[in-house]
Amino acid sequence: MSDDCIFCKMASGEIKPDIVHETDNVLAFRDLNPQAPTHVLLIPRQHIATLDELQEADQDLIGEIVLAATEVARNEGIAERGYRLIANHQADGGQTVFHIHFHLVGGRPMNWPPG
Ligand code: AMP
Ligand code: ZN
């Protein structure tokens, strides 16, 4: 846990987001500023600041997060139509919260290439 990390506060229950899925290791909640009809963030409860800090020992954790995303997508009714699963890294990637997270966005067609 990092003291000044908003996602750690969600993971510990100090701040209560709109949770859609949770396990011992993973938390999924609705984004405060949704960019699509479905916009859910999936985070590890454990504080990892950026993708670049991931270690081999985190492989199962990342697999768990991706599988959780597919489950949330099915629950949201977007699994068949499609969706996007995004992880932003550092400045060029557009990362603003430094606790790794995947954005699950769907419910409308997505553009490619991304802006
Ligand atoms: P990123 O820019 O990839 O780091 O994404 C951070 C995301 O966290 C943004 O989409 C924000 O809207 C979202 N966010 C920031 N604070 C909160 C919060 N308190 N509850 C839910 N989502 C948040
Ligand atoms: Zn954190």
Side-chain angles (χ1 to χ4, degrees):
M1 162 116 187
S2 168
D3 283 349
D4 54 356
C5 172
I6 188 165
F7 286 180
C8 278
K9 288 182 178 151
M10 291 177 180
S12 70
E14 188 180 334
I15 295 177
K16 296 205 186 314
D18 184 357
I19 294 172
V20 297
H21 180 90
E22 61 181 320
T23 67
D24 286 349
N25 301 322
V26 178
L27 186 66
F29 54 89
R30 297 198 190 280
D31 196 293
L32 203 57
N33 182 24
Q35 302 299 317
T38 290
H39 188 168
V40 169
L41 300 176
L42 297 108
I43 68 169
R45 288 189 189 273
Q46 175 193 341
H47 182 81
I48 301 169
T50 78
L51 293 176
D52 199 47
E53 290 178 21
L54 284 169
Q55 320 245 324
E56 254 183 77
D58 299 319
Q59 282 193 81
D60 286 354
L61 178 61
I62 295 304
E64 225 182 285
I65 295 173
V66 172
L67 276 176
T70 67
E71 190 176 333
V72 172
R74 284 192 295 276
N75 293 341
E76 293 285 312
I78 58 172
E80 290 197 6
R81 275 180 60 185
Y83 54 82
R84 198 165 283 174
L85 189 60
I86 304 157
N88 298 324
H89 176 64
Q90 289 287 13
D92 278 5
Q95 184 176 10
T96 60
V97 175
F98 288 83
H99 177 133
I100 61 167
H101 50 280
F102 288 82
H103 298 253
L104 172 68
V105 283
R108 67 165 171 81
M110 299 292 150
N111 299 317
W112 193 264

